Amino acid sequence: MIEVKSLEKKYFIGTPNELLVLDNVNLKIEDGEFVALVGASGSGKSTFMNIVGALDRPTSGEYAIDGVPVHSMTQNELSDIRGKKIGFVFQSFNLMGRSNALKNVELPMLYAGVSLKERARRAKELLELVGMGDRIHHLPNELSGGQKQRVAIARSLVNDPSIILADEPTGALDSKTGDMVMDIFKKVHKEKKKTILVITHSMEVAQMTQRIITIRDGRILSDVPNTPMA
Amino acid sequence: MFFKENLVLALESLRSNKMRAFLTMLGIIIGIASVIAIISVGDSLSSSITTEMQGIGTNNFRINVREKDSNVGNPRDPRANIMGSSASAEDEDLITPEMLEAFQEQFKDQVAAISLTESVGSGQVKDERLYANVAVSGVNPGYLQVNNVELLSGRFINDRDTAGRKSVAVVSDKLVNNIFGKSVNPIGQEIKFYEAGEIKTYIIVGVYKHSESAMFIGASSSSEKDTQTSMYIPITLAKQSKTIKNYSNATIMSNTNVDADQFTKDIKEFFAKYYEKNPKWEVSTINMASQIEMASSMLSTISLAIAIIAAISLLVGGIGVMNIMLVSVTERTREIGTRKALGAKNFHIRMQFITEAMIIALVGGLIGLVLGLLLGMLGSKLLGAAPSFSIPTILLTVTFSMAIGVFFGYYPANKAAQLDPIDALRYE
Ligand SMILES: Nc1ncnc2c1ncn2[C@@H]1O[C@H](COP(=O)(O)OP(=O)(O)OP(=O)(O)O)[C@@H](O)[C@H]1O
Ligand SMILES: [Mg+2]
């Protein structure tokens, strides 16, 4: 469960100018929700998601995952949260170019201290799940964009986190490939019961989720339930 | 476990930037190679100097008559002085047997023996079709002990031989083999020595063992049978035909417990008395021990100079490693951000880059090691010394090059570790 209370993020670009990117954001996302975050460019979506993902710290306000306050954690504790509770999917995939699909998927387990054998087993299983079982020894530059993103999704799932955060996961893909990637998110949501938060500019993508949150100028403009299309 | 993963990463990174890695390693390669080369050449050289000098004897003091205030010739090569000056030195300028006797009397606790030699010439000992090449030297009884001659049978030249100018000779086992074979006892046999049309007859009184050790040049250039060996006759006999009756040089052997520096002074003072009024000539004293010291101190000066160069090159190499690691960290900023997003802690990142720096330095060190060993082998060969390698040096170099990697890799690695994950992920 994600709980955010009066969250604020300011950037100081030389006094007296300060840029208020997130302004008093209050939000609660229950376990197993599938949420879309939409809004204009520069509205603060990524900033919000980075704080939720323990990559960034808020300027003020409170943030807790499963009741545990995250905003006051040390760097190492934040690393632990990122490694074990959260799975990231990036717009530009961010795979390790010198490692094959299997090694890429194993990486988060390495930092989490999972044994060698278990790493290989789980990585294969998840590559299987995203339909990449026949490409495990391919390097990223031998994969298409959609395939790369599927490997990245497998990687985000590998430490069995409760929350998956995806910042425009279909942004670099054509709509057909994007749909395929979204299908995988739906499958993961359904089969693995993960909380999934997706930032998107596409209404079509947003319509696939259960809840659509709109942000404007760092504030929540609307927060409405959605009935996903079949 | 984590080290292995970092090792794989480091090797992958090396492989994808081979040329860059090699250029980075160059400083370390040169540094380590020169250190190893110096050490192995130095080791083999100093061990061969020591064995050579032990053969000569460190408690030998060579005295020469030389021109006063002359800096002519290398003072460490006594022969240069004699050859340059003996032509004009008269008999009364030279060392007399009386001086030596007086010396021996005054320093009887210190002196073990005094060796005198007079080169006669070389020729052949012949018996019908059998022959042996010899170089004849007139010697005194002290020669035996000072020059470590190993007698196999009979006796050496003694005082009665020199006093009576007896035509006796001590010959090598090689000569005996050539002339008499194995079945005849050579002691008491007569041999004929042919030199420039003259024939001289000697009675063999002793046989010594010929050693080839230092004579490697002669041994390899002529056949076993033709090898020239020394034949010793009484020095008085050798002097008989010469106009100069006194000695231009002598070798004094001290007892082992004698302080070399003090004894050198004593010898100088003793002979200075005789030469005080001599306008042109004096006696110089050279001690083998001090020569060894000089040679090895020169060697260590050269080694030090090269070691400093090596150290500078290692420093430059280390800075090169640091530079390339900083470049690598910048290039891989996004990668670092991604790793952090995937749960990498600061120390994971730090270890990854330190390992990479260490591997670059280690591979450079290993290449340098191999190169240095080859150079050392080559160098020792050129200097005619046996190559010598020490395992501890090799281990030390390997450890040291890894240490360079860790030391110069720490700063870039720490910089990588401390990157803010968001900044790193946003990096273009
Ligand atoms: N490090 C920073 N320093 C100063 N301003 C920043 C920094 N990072 C983000 N901002 C500003 O914060 C605002 C919100 O950025 P953010 O990336 O959250 O937008 P976004 O909603 O994700 O936009 P997009 O849809 O284009 O990705 C922007 O106006 C941006 O300029
Ligand atoms: Mg964004």
Side-chain angles (χ1 to χ4, degrees), chain A residues 74-109:
Chain A
T74 65
Q75 279 195 28
N76 271 348
E77 287 170 330
L78 290 176
S79 291
D80 254 343
I81 292 285
R82 292 195 293 266
K84 290 174 183 154
K85 292 254 174 189
I86 293 161
F88 286 97
V89 178
F90 304 93
Q91 180 176 357
S92 51
F93 324 125
N94 289 11
L95 297 176
M96 300 294 143
R98 295 193 202 102
S99 308
N100 64 24
L102 188 68
K103 290 282 169 217
N104 264 289
V105 177
E106 285 182 9
L107 191 57
M109 292 189 280

Side-chain angles (χ1 to χ4, degrees), chain A residues 11 50 55-56 75-76 79-80 82-83 88 90 92 94 96 98-99 107-108 110-111 116 119 155, chain B residues 1-2 5 12-13 16 332 334-335 338-346 348 352 421-422 425-426:
Chain A
Y11 284 111
N50 289 337
L55 279 168
D56 206 354
Q75 279 195 28
N76 271 348
S79 291
D80 254 343
R82 292 195 293 266
F88 286 97
F90 304 93
S92 51
N94 289 11
M96 300 294 143
R98 295 193 202 102
S99 308
L107 191 57
L110 184 68
Y111 294 127
L116 190 80
R119 290 207 299 262
R155 181 178 67 181
Chain B
M1 179 193 84
F2 207 76
E5 312 295 335
E12 271 171 0
S13 156
S16 63
R332 288 152 73 183
R334 274 180 75 90
E335 176 194 320
T338 307
R339 286 178 186 277
K340 287 199 156 185
L342 299 179
K345 297 196 171 83
N346 287 4
H348 288 128
Q352 180 190 339
I422 284 295
L425 275 169
R426 284 231 184 94

Side-chain angles (χ1 to χ4, degrees), chain B residues 34-48:
Chain B
S34 37
V35 170
I36 292 290
I38 308 161
I39 291 175
S40 62
V41 170
D43 275 3
S44 61
L45 209 60
S46 65
S47 76
S48 74

Side-chain angles (χ1 to χ4, degrees), chain A residues 40-52:
Chain A
S41 184
S43 55
K45 304 182 296 292
S46 296
T47 306
F48 177 70
M49 183 174 272
N50 289 337
I51 291 171
V52 171

